Amino acid sequence: MDPFLRTVETAFEQHGIEAILDPDGAALAVRLLPMRGDDIADYGSMQIQEPGGVFEILASAFEGHDRGATLEIGGERRRVKHARVRDPRRFKVQLNTVPL
């Protein structure tokens, strides 16, 4: 096994959060790494906060899925808006999600 892949898999095992990919179909248990915190926009003295929605997933776990896939994270359902591979070794996929 590639030692870099094993390191990435270990990071997901130890630091990832539990989620369900395609909860209405295959219902696959996966682990995600949150990539971005909550977005906060300032409008004068008012602040609007939106929960972060960018996660990383192992490419092997996301195989066969694409934009439009559904994730359930801690009881919250999110839809994958964009899926990108920014990892030069192609071990991870970055998911930009929006609430359902």
Side-chain angles (χ1 to χ4, degrees):
M1 174 183 274
D2 186 323
F4 294 107
L5 175 58
R6 184 65 197 135
T7 301
V8 171
E9 289 175 340
T10 300
F12 275 87
E13 289 169 16
Q14 293 182 0
H15 305 290
I17 59 173
E18 294 179 4
I20 303 294
L21 177 62
D22 191 17
D24 298 324
L28 303 170
V30 295
R31 304 224 16 116
L32 304 173
L33 290 175
M35 289 202 49
R36 187 183 327 156
D38 294 352
D39 287 334
I40 299 174
D42 291 317
Y43 296 99
S45 62
M46 181 176 69
Q47 284 189 333
I48 298 176
Q49 184 171 355
E50 180 181 15
V54 181
F55 303 91
E56 284 186 328
I57 188 171
L58 286 170
S60 59
F62 197 64
E63 199 170 291
H65 294 85
D66 203 355
R67 184 176 61 179
T70 303
L71 291 165
E72 187 172 310
I73 307 162
E76 179 188 16
R77 295 171 68 92
R78 300 186 73 85
R79 175 171 288 126
V80 176
K81 189 175 175 184
H82 300 286
R84 300 178 254 214
V85 177
R86 292 194 167 176
D87 175 16
R89 297 183 195 276
R90 307 190 77 72
F91 295 147
K92 303 178 288 183
V93 177
Q94 187 180 79
L95 306 176
N96 188 356
T97 67
V98 294
L100 283 178

